[in-house]
Amino acid sequence: MARIAVIGAGMGAMAAAARLAVAGHRVAVYERTETYGGAVRRFERDGFAFDTGPGLLTLPAVYRDLFVKTGKEPLEDCVELVQVDPSARHVFADGTEVSLPNASRAGVVAALDEALGAGAGERWGGFLVRAREAWDRTRRPLLEEPLWPNWQVLAEKEPYPAVPHRRLLRTRYARTLSEIGSLELGDERLAALLEGSALAHGLDPRTAPASAAVLPYMEHAFGTWYVRGGIRELARAVYERCVQRRVEFVFGAEVVRILEKEGRAAGVELADGTVAEADFVVAGVAPDALGRFVTGTALRGDGEVAPQRGTPSRLTVLLALRGERPHGAAHRTVVHAEDRDSELERLFGGFEGTAARPTVTVLRPGDPALVPDAGHESVVLSSVVPALAREESRTGRAVFDQHAEAVIEVAERAVPGLRDRILWKEVRTPAAVEEATGAAGGAVPAPALAAGAGRLLHPGNSTRLAGLFTAGGWSHPGGGLPHAGMSGALVAGLIVEGPGFRGSQ
């Protein structure tokens, strides 16, 4: 039995802790805040409740596997999973709307043909076929195996099939997500649908590699799911599974240093001077924090993947509404920006003033557990914004308040009369994300993607310091609820089976 110290109680760290405890190790989790879940938090007031982090789940098989491997009760005995249908309603700049069925290729093709015109569904269906090829080529190395030592192969090779396009006697191939939209989809609305999948993860579709096609494919192939009571219920279930496996949690415990002895991790030191010795340390923290914990040691060597920097954050507006949710209202509506180019310039070229009519995601769960009674509705609006440096926080708050007003204005295209129904609102800025996760500026990591010179790969779960491993969104395989669960499985495998571990079969 080994002693294992886990830094942080995020989803990836807890997934690793549960698996390691089942393997017979003694696991203690040290969390600097007073609760678990990382970015998966809940805000409650006056009988209303809101998810302040992710609002939907893809690839639930990741958490099903976690529960199968760590106990007798399956995931569905601990939370109620509901498949969201339609998967999303989209409102485009020209006012066109389409509702896309969940995990149904034929249904999606038919819906797009009806809403956007004959041929639109066929073009999108053809794209999904090519996206599946990219998925099949990258699924194991990017999601199910530790990062390859020769990761440069993933960085250089574009897995999205090259489709030739002849224009002006030249043959062109899509190398970025935006180029797929312009060269292969042939419709501004289809392009917005495609680019929105990248933007939702904080990626610039103009520079994101074509391999980002796997993002809409994952949602299409494996469906979109809601956890009854909110996604926070998933965090609760994982936490309780850890406790059942006798994982110890110490909240309000800020780690300030990772101890080293004879060239390997030997435990952690807390802010109050307490020292907890350990045989292994698992760090579920952002790269800046990890660098502060270990002094004088090169955690990453030359030629290794560098941590992502400068990734955007989220602005979330929580709305308590008078009046019941209309029957048949879509759980999720994406209202696309009227000027996509302008939005991308503002977002990725520097946050100077409020974005005019940004892309906004509207979540209307219709869950009785989130409202005081049937005469009210709980709604979450979200928009991607740049991460905010600490020194900008005073002026940034005013800017984000203005941005929140723009978000509400855009959301009224999806929910007519929205503003008149507002009882109160709560604006959650990147500062709230930073408080929950510790990531500088509230940055949110994107999932790992192949190609693009490795810009969207993440550092491997092993480090140069023996006995120190990393889990969560800032390490392989990157950000997002499914990816966090995968990182926990990889770390547990590396500790239990050693450096020869090659992932689940």
Side-chain angles (χ1 to χ4, degrees):
M1 175 193 295
R3 298 165 302 173
I4 300 176
V6 179
I7 306 173
M11 297 298 283
M14 289 198 296
R19 290 176 181 270
L20 289 166
V22 166
H25 299 299
R26 193 171 71 206
V27 184
V29 177
Y30 300 92
E31 166 59 46
R32 64 180 181 84
T33 71
E34 297 300 329
T35 190
Y36 53 82
V40 184
R41 298 292 178 95
R42 172 182 285 148
F43 178 83
E44 297 179 347
R45 175 181 161 189
D46 300 339
F48 290 88
F50 308 85
D51 281 321
T52 59
L56 294 170
L57 175 67
T58 56
L59 278 176
V62 172
Y63 288 93
R64 290 189 178 115
D65 181 71
L66 171 65
F67 277 73
V68 166
K69 299 291 176 56
T70 59
K72 295 181 179 179
E73 290 181 307
L75 176 63
E76 277 82 352
D77 281 2
C78 303
V79 297
E80 183 182 353
L81 287 177
V82 181
Q83 196 164 18
V84 175
D85 201 9
S87 174
R89 168 188 171 217
H90 292 268
V91 180
F92 298 106
D94 65 355
T96 306
E97 297 186 15
V98 62
S99 292
L100 300 181
N102 201 339
S104 168
R105 184 180 184 277
V108 167
V109 168
L112 288 172
D113 277 342
E114 181 179 354
L116 307 186
E122 182 180 356
R123 290 193 297 276
W124 185 259
F127 158 74
L128 288 177
V129 170
R130 294 187 291 278
R132 178 177 179 174
E133 285 193 46
W135 166 260
D136 289 342
R137 292 171 180 172
T138 61
R139 176 180 58 85
R140 279 200 62 81
L142 280 181
L143 301 180
E144 298 176 0
E145 300 176 348
L147 188 65
W148 293 348
N150 60 333
W151 58 266
Q152 291 87 349
V153 175
L154 296 173
E156 297 165 1
K157 186 174 179 59
E158 174 57 71
Y160 184 79
V163 180
H165 297 271
R166 298 281 294 176
R167 288 188 179 181
L168 301 177
L169 303 180
R170 293 180 57 206
T171 300
R172 296 184 59 192
Y173 302 91
R175 300 301 182 192
T176 67
L177 206 65
S178 284
E179 288 179 347
I180 292 176
S182 61
L183 296 177
E184 299 178 15
L185 296 181
D187 188 298
E188 281 292 318
R189 296 161 297 185
L190 290 179
L193 183 64
L194 174 64
E195 294 185 4
S197 66
L199 186 61
H201 291 281
L203 298 175
D204 185 345
R206 301 169 302 180
T207 59
S211 65
V214 301
L215 298 175
Y217 174 77
M218 286 169 57
E219 184 172 307
H220 163 78
F222 304 107
T224 305
W225 301 77
Y226 174 68
V227 179
R228 189 75 67 189
I231 294 295
R232 175 67 176 177
E233 287 297 292
L234 178 64
R236 174 198 56 76
V238 175
Y239 167 71
E240 290 181 354
R241 177 54 54 91
C242 286
V243 172
Q244 291 166 3
R245 301 285 81 85
R246 299 189 178 181
V247 174
E248 177 188 0
F249 282 83
V250 185
F251 294 107
E254 182 179 2
V255 172
V256 295
R257 187 164 67 96
I258 294 174
L259 307 178
E260 299 178 57
K261 184 177 181 180
E262 298 178 355
R264 65 172 291 118
V268 297
E269 180 183 345
L270 307 182
D272 64 4
T274 300
V275 169
E277 296 181 350
D279 302 296
F280 297 93
V281 175
V282 177
V285 298
D288 291 339
L290 184 61
R292 294 195 301 270
F293 293 156
V294 183
T295 58
T297 300
L299 296 178
R300 311 290 182 191
D302 292 339
E304 292 185 3
V305 178
Q308 285 190 24
R309 303 274 181 183
T311 52
S313 186
R314 305 284 186 274
L315 181 133
T316 306
V317 184
L318 315 178
L319 297 179
L321 302 184
R322 61 173 64 87
E324 65 181 351
R325 177 180 183 264
H327 177 72
H331 187 122
R332 173 177 57 167
T333 300
V334 180
V335 185
H336 294 271
E338 295 180 353
D339 187 340
R340 196 163 69 250
D341 291 337
S342 176
E343 177 183 35
L344 295 178
E345 281 299 320
R346 284 191 174 98
L347 179 57
F348 297 101
F351 196 22
E352 297 179 1
T354 180
R357 300 181 181 276
T359 296
V360 173
T361 298
V362 182
L363 295 182
R364 308 178 72 180
D367 187 342
L370 305 183
V371 291
D373 54 56
H376 295 85
E377 185 178 5
S378 168
V379 172
V380 176
L381 315 178
S382 63
S383 174
V384 177
V385 295
L388 183 66
R390 287 182 183 274
E391 58 271 17
E392 298 173 310
S393 60
R394 178 171 297 181
T395 56
R397 178 70 205 202
V399 170
F400 285 130
D401 283 343
Q402 293 174 354
H403 192 83
E405 290 302 310
V407 165
I408 294 173
E409 181 182 352
V410 170
E412 286 199 283
R413 295 178 58 200
V415 187
L418 172 65
R419 196 178 292 274
D420 293 337
R421 295 178 57 198
I422 296 175
L423 288 170
W424 51 263
K425 69 177 185 290
E426 172 77 12
V427 178
R428 312 287 287 183
T429 71
V433 179
E434 179 174 4
E435 173 59 28
T437 66
V444 178
L449 294 173
R455 289 181 296 103
L456 293 172
L457 294 175
H458 293 260
N461 308 101
S462 302
T463 72
R464 289 264 176 148
L465 179 61
L468 174 63
F469 298 84
T470 61
W474 294 103
S475 57
H476 181 71
L481 274 174
H483 297 71
M486 294 173 193
S487 77
L490 292 174
V491 167
L494 288 166
I495 291 176
V496 173
E497 299 187 26
F501 173 68
R502 290 294 176 264
S504 58
Q505 299 299 319

